[in-house]
Amino acid sequence: MNSERVLSVRGLHKQFVLHNIDGRTVEALHGVDLDVFAGEHVALAGSSGAGKSSLLRCIYRTYLPTSGSVTLRVTSGMDVDLTDLGDRELARLRGRELGYVSQFLRAEPRRGALDIVARAGVQRGMDWDDAREAAAIALRKLNIDESLWDVYATVLSGGEKQRVNLAAGTISPPQLLLLDEPVSALDPANREAALDLIADLTEHGVAVLAVFHDLDAMARLATRVVLMSDGQIAQQGPPETVLGQLTGVAR
Amino acid sequence: MSDVTDQDKGPDPAAELAIDDWVLKVDRLGKVFGPQDPAAIADTGPEFGTSKSPTTGSVVAAWDVSFEVAAGEAIGVIGESGSGKSTVMRSIAGDHGSSAGSVYLRRSDGTVEDILTLDGASRRKLRIDQLSVVYQDPSEGLDLGVTAGGNVAERLTAAGWRHFGQIRERASELLSRTEVPLERMDDIVRQFSGGMRQRVQLAKALANRPPVVLFDEPTTGLDASVAAGVLDLIRNLLEELGLAAVVVSHDFSVIEMLTSRCVVMHHGRIVEHGLTDQLLEDPRHPYSQRLVAAART
């Protein structure tokens, strides 16, 4: 495994101040330290409200961290702190250097599945022909029937949309990919295909930081499991160790 | 004719991190209606809950507004009626004078100038092929008594096009790109529906390939399905032409679809700026939080 550190999170705090609800504050993260290396698949585990999604969002800066640092090593080898990067600079790094795949396809009116996926490839620097070819391969892998490729994605089923979203997020993948429940709406067969596609990313050296609600997916994909509790990292280690304890607790 | 479709697609992130490639740079722009007394600045703004000065009676419609936008990028300006967003747009466009600040434009030939210092004639020239505006009300951007083709042709002749056949060809190319059926090219715009008028306005705005386009509530007032089509068209045009765009709207769905960054305005001031998804998911200013909460209900 390539051992280059791609992501380094230090002392990350996130506090929300709800000005319109009597100014109360909500603590989402209380000092998170985490490294992710190239070719690693780090699964975030923990009950809901533990801060898993908040961590992903703070790294992508959909949430603006309150304090701490999120350092990304970009492909040129430079280390960049995303927490204080300018908006324009961050907008450009996104996609090409770090990607975020949520459980929902962002509304793309009047666009077909193949177009959406290929466009994502073009945004990461592929030319249109290569992007279309790669998009077709990804959609085929994810069992999206070819008859649906040019149908507006807004009319696809929830599971189809989720697979289109995953294909778009993983085409010509950036070196760090954040996955937030990317297979939550899929039936067993399609879920298998999606998990295979995610496993391929790790094979190809992409650093993955993921949230899955089920332990099976974690056990299958993770090279390391990080257990979160109350906005902090409670424990981390090899999947067999951490997940073993989790299932023990569940029993 | 200048060509603005060349976008920097260089993959070198080191070079990308030091960004100084803006096309439009708004620097501490201000517009005060009424007495130009500096005292008005001190007692207006979000913390005073008003843009009208109790001491001078003037209205500080916009103050200390700064942002920049590069080719291939759209920035949103969001806020309620009276927040100053349209004032900012009209100041940039030169529809009215400004009280303070600068608006730098990098022309397609690379030269930079503060367009607020231009005289009326140079201003009008600028609007022909460097900076276009798409207004909410099509009658501001179009002559409703003239045909669709005639409206586009007017902008082309202003830029020096003389050959009738070429003008006609370019106009039909533009109108078909903005999805106006060519059989309607010779119809008077007043006979067009609202959505179709916006498409003609787009064709006219883009006629001479301006590097900068300002959109003022481009879909407000249209039926939802028509608005979605116009919005989709604008998004595709922004992508294809590599324009530097400023999108002014009170509607988060418009801002979300078209822009990657935005600023929130309230009582004439920018109260928050950020990436569009961050402003929607994690607004920090009390006013932004109220706006987002209102949009979600």
Side-chain angles (χ1 to χ4, degrees):
Chain A
M1 187 194 292
N2 189 331
S3 65
E4 194 194 352
R5 188 171 71 187
V6 175
L7 176 72
S8 172
V9 176
R10 289 291 175 272
L12 195 66
H13 285 261
K14 177 59 189 174
Q15 182 186 60
F16 295 96
V17 182
L18 309 178
H19 292 286
N20 303 310
I21 311 178
D22 59 42
R24 80 178 60 153
T25 60
V26 176
E27 296 282 340
L29 298 175
H30 295 277
V32 173
D33 294 329
L34 179 67
D35 289 330
V36 182
F37 294 83
E40 254 199 317
H41 180 116
V42 176
L44 295 172
S47 51
S48 41
K52 308 182 298 286
S53 290
S54 290
L55 177 58
L56 294 186
R57 285 162 173 241
C58 277
I59 293 168
Y60 197 61
R61 224 175 85 185
T62 295
Y63 291 167
L64 194 71
T66 308
S67 64
S69 64
V70 174
T71 306
L72 179 72
R73 171 148 310 168
V74 296
T75 34
S76 65
M78 193 172 24
D79 283 331
V80 180
D81 184 357
L82 303 180
T83 59
D84 63 1
L85 195 63
D87 294 338
R88 286 178 64 201
E89 288 78 359
L90 183 63
R92 291 207 191 176
L93 275 191
R94 279 182 172 187
R96 248 179 259 176
E97 299 279 349
L98 84 156
Y100 179 89
V101 181
S102 73
Q103 39 183 325
F104 304 109
L105 180 67
R106 201 168 163 266
E108 294 253 17
R110 300 208 307 176
R111 245 170 220 178
L114 186 75
D115 190 24
I116 289 170
V117 180
R119 214 169 267 271
V122 169
Q123 278 164 3
R124 296 204 189 97
M126 299 177 91
D127 70 44
W128 269 105
D129 287 346
D130 290 349
R132 269 194 211 95
E133 201 172 308
I137 291 169
L139 291 174
R140 225 171 257 132
K141 262 192 200 163
L142 291 172
N143 308 321
I144 302 283
D145 194 279
E146 205 160 330
S147 65
L148 298 175
W149 289 6
D150 58 357
V151 173
Y152 290 160
T154 40
V155 303
L156 299 178
S157 75
E160 285 158 353
K161 279 185 197 159
Q162 191 165 57
R163 280 175 284 152
V164 170
N165 194 42
L166 183 63
T170 54
I171 185 173
S172 180
Q175 51 176 349
L176 175 66
L177 205 53
L178 309 167
L179 307 178
D180 196 354
E181 304 268 18
V183 300
S184 61
L186 303 186
D187 58 61
N190 287 316
R191 188 171 162 281
E192 278 309 299
L195 294 182
D196 282 343
L197 186 100
I198 296 167
D200 273 354
L201 297 168
T202 315
E203 297 276 308
H204 287 90
V206 176
V208 176
L209 183 59
V211 174
F212 290 99
H213 69 287
D214 64 308
L215 297 179
D216 286 347
M218 281 191 244
R220 169 149 168 218
L221 296 170
T223 56
R224 176 159 50 114
V225 174
V226 170
L227 177 64
M228 291 190 73
S229 170
D230 280 336
Q232 285 177 311
I233 290 177
Q235 193 192 348
Q236 56 179 309
E240 39 303 353
T241 318
V242 182
L243 293 177
Q245 288 170 358
L246 278 182
T247 47
V249 170
R251 273 186 210 118
Chain B
M1 297 295 105
S2 55
D3 195 347
V4 294
T5 55
D6 287 340
Q7 282 180 65
D8 177 20
K9 292 198 172 116
D12 179 11
E16 279 181 6
L17 284 178
I19 298 180
D20 187 30
D21 58 354
W22 50 265
V23 176
L24 182 78
K25 179 175 180 165
V26 177
D27 187 22
R28 289 165 292 160
L29 183 69
K31 172 66 180 173
V32 178
F33 292 98
Q36 302 290 304
D37 184 336
I41 308 306
D43 57 12
T44 55
E47 58 273 42
F48 297 93
T50 182
S51 49
K52 186 176 170 76
S53 166
T55 50
T56 70
S58 32
V59 172
V60 182
W63 197 257
D64 202 23
V65 172
S66 299
F67 57 81
E68 48 189 61
V69 57
E73 193 193 33
I75 187 166
V77 180
I78 195 157
E80 292 164 311
S81 313
S83 62
K85 56 191 195 310
S86 292
T87 299
V88 168
M89 203 221 57
R90 287 179 186 278
S91 293
I92 298 171
D95 290 343
H96 55 50
S98 300
S99 308
S102 306
V103 175
Y104 299 103
L105 178 84
R106 184 169 285 149
R107 288 176 176 268
S108 18
D109 64 8
T111 56
V112 171
E113 63 193 329
D114 179 358
I115 60 178
L116 297 187
T117 63
L118 297 178
D119 60 30
S122 314
R123 271 269 175 198
R124 284 188 290 279
K125 259 173 86 181
L126 195 77
R127 292 283 295 271
I128 293 167
D129 61 0
Q130 296 295 320
L131 184 149
S132 283
V133 185
V134 176
Y135 293 96
Q136 176 182 351
D137 177 357
S139 69
E140 284 197 69
L142 296 173
D143 186 339
L144 297 187
V146 170
T147 63
N151 265 287
V152 178
E154 187 246 38
R155 188 62 59 88
L156 292 170
T157 41
W161 290 59
R162 288 292 173 261
H163 188 281
F164 177 79
Q166 286 170 356
I167 291 175
R168 182 103 188 136
E169 194 187 324
R170 172 75 179 148
S172 61
E173 180 189 310
L174 283 158
L175 289 167
S176 67
R177 183 62 200 85
T178 59
E179 302 168 1
V180 176
L182 284 186
E183 63 270 21
R184 302 212 54 188
M185 185 171 169
D186 296 319
D187 290 352
I188 302 289
V189 174
R190 185 166 288 116
Q191 301 164 354
F192 284 26
S193 67
M196 205 55 81
R197 288 178 187 186
Q198 278 315 50
R199 295 171 192 280
V200 177
Q201 210 192 163
L202 278 170
K204 184 173 181 175
L206 299 173
N208 297 312
R209 300 187 172 94
V212 179
V213 180
L214 314 178
F215 296 88
D216 185 15
E217 304 276 10
T219 58
T220 302
L222 302 177
D223 290 348
S225 61
V226 175
V230 172
L231 211 51
D232 177 65
L233 172 63
I234 294 173
R235 180 189 56 181
N236 288 334
L237 289 168
L238 290 181
E239 256 181 45
E240 272 168 39
L241 304 176
L243 303 170
V246 180
V247 181
V248 171
S249 184
H250 70 282
D251 184 343
F252 271 113
S253 62
V254 170
I255 296 289
E256 191 176 16
M257 181 147 158
L258 296 180
T259 72
S260 56
R261 296 184 295 123
C262 62
V263 297
V264 180
M265 288 196 69
H266 187 41
H267 292 310
R269 309 312 204 265
I270 290 179
V271 294
E272 186 166 355
H273 68 89
L275 295 171
T276 302
D277 64 316
Q278 182 242 303
L279 268 166
L280 289 171
E281 298 292 331
D282 183 19
R284 284 157 299 138
H285 191 278
Y287 176 71
S288 317
Q289 292 187 352
R290 276 210 306 281
L291 262 189
V292 171
R296 292 260 154 91
T297 51

